[in-house]
Amino acid sequence: MAKNIVENFLRKLGKPLVVFIQRLGELSLFIAKAVYNCVTPPFYIKLLGRQFLDIGFYSLPVVALTTIFAGMVIALQTYSGFSSYGAESAIASVVLISVTRELAPVFCGLMVAGRIGAAMAAEIGTMKVTEQIDALVTLSTNPFKYLFTPRLLAGIFVLPLLVMIGDIIGIFGGFLVSVYQLGFNPANYITNTINELQAIDINIGLTKGAVFGFIIALMGCYNGYKSRGGAQGVGEATTNAVVASSILILIFNYIITGMFFTK
Amino acid sequence: MSENKIEIKNLHKAFGKKVVLDGIDLEIKKGESLVVIGGSGTGKSVLIKCIQGILVPDSGSIKVDGQEIVNANEEIRDAMHGKMGMLFQGGALFDSLTVWENVAFGLIENKRMPRKEAKMEAVRLLRQVGLTPDVADLSPSELSGGMQKRVSLARAIATRPEIIFFDEPTTGLDPIMSDVINDLIIESAKGLGATALTITHDMASARKIADKIAMLYKGKIIWQGTVKEMDNTENPYVRQFINGCSQGPIKVEI
């Protein structure tokens, strides 16, 4: 009797564990194959260009809106928290540090995950279930190179650029609030920002951007590629892509911050 | 005796515990049109996907032109794909491209044909399958099911393949459109001198396009022969299938 209970327990524990390890293996193989195909010809330059446009250019409005309000709210909060000890100089540096190191990368990552990760998973998932990916194979075209390489490369290279733009717009948001709402001197704000700016603030944003871009494109492609069974499967893939990339972005955000600042 | 274009020996494929192909032996001669019939879920699509290298079989051998393709390296498989064309059940047209770009896909991406020339060739192919040049710039989603099948057929024959696969070419079409597609299949396959492998459960279509028919049941080829032999066979499985009876040795799994 006791043996049965133990056996059942192990069995219950075993199956999800085996499935988990299997998924991890599948994903690792997928990553290896995708990276290998990123660095070997042929390259589809035109498709890469379109992905740059889709992921980068068309994401600018959402990135701009989220980062400008992030910068604004940080300025406001810093003022309410620091007003008793010289808020004017504190606002510029708090906005700078929080926007460049954390807010701009994370918001860019999450917004692009929602916008692009979902679209990638839906498009590739639909191509999978309507046999368009098989059709590519029968037309002697490697789906990894044709579909995944342009997306992954665009993700890796475009997200850092978006983060940089987010940095600038976020800091500008802080500037707007402290000058027009709180009535501080604009010249002082700019001088404070420039004095406080360090190379690490930019580097960390670029690193995070590249990693998040890879995560978003990878999750979009992988979940789309693995989708099965029609509309429901594609819907699931889309959800999984967004949820997985959002969670991974937050986890890796912590890890990268840890790598940069604990030495 | 003409040579075998495709030779399959003892092919096995299972998904988990579900055995789909259980020792398939099949030979297709050069220029022959073989139709594989069988009920839904008997592994017809899996068979085609194994030959194309989209799925990897568990064991067995598939030879195309005497060249083993199971577990072959990428170079050999690429060369194989260059020889093959396929008409997918749902058309599988790329919806991010226009109709003519779909038809010319293989020409542009692999044969490196200039776009202008490829478009002219695409329009010619579209005419060949009975479509007017004005559909060339439409998107596939603007076409009816029958038209999509025609475009897909044009794409399959664009690179002049030596082997063409037809996956349920008439499913979802009305009887007249089915017959039109059947005629086009015969025309295009014969026109290219290509070897054709069709899977279908549409008996009217099978009778029309087959030189030879093979029946797939429970992962095995249980019968092969010409259309005439099929009509005279005593094989109870074949008789039940071609007559479409619910009573007989084939039990429908619900």
Side-chain angles (χ1 to χ4, degrees), chain B residues 106-137:
Chain B
L107 299 173
I108 294 174
E109 296 298 341
N110 299 305
K111 307 234 156 160
R112 302 275 154 216
M113 190 185 273
R115 282 178 72 84
K116 224 174 165 182
E117 208 177 307
K119 184 167 185 180
M120 276 159 60
E121 177 67 10
V123 169
R124 192 188 67 74
L125 285 159
L126 286 172
R127 270 220 188 86
Q128 197 180 324
V129 295
L131 291 171
T132 49
D134 54 295
V135 302
D137 289 308

Side-chain angles (χ1 to χ4, degrees), chain A residues 135-159:
Chain A
L136 274 179
V137 175
T138 63
L139 291 162
S140 319
T141 303
N142 182 342
F144 272 82
K145 285 193 197 310
Y146 190 81
L147 294 174
F148 306 153
T149 300
R151 285 171 172 77
L152 285 167
L153 288 179
I156 293 170
F157 289 109
V158 161
L159 257 271

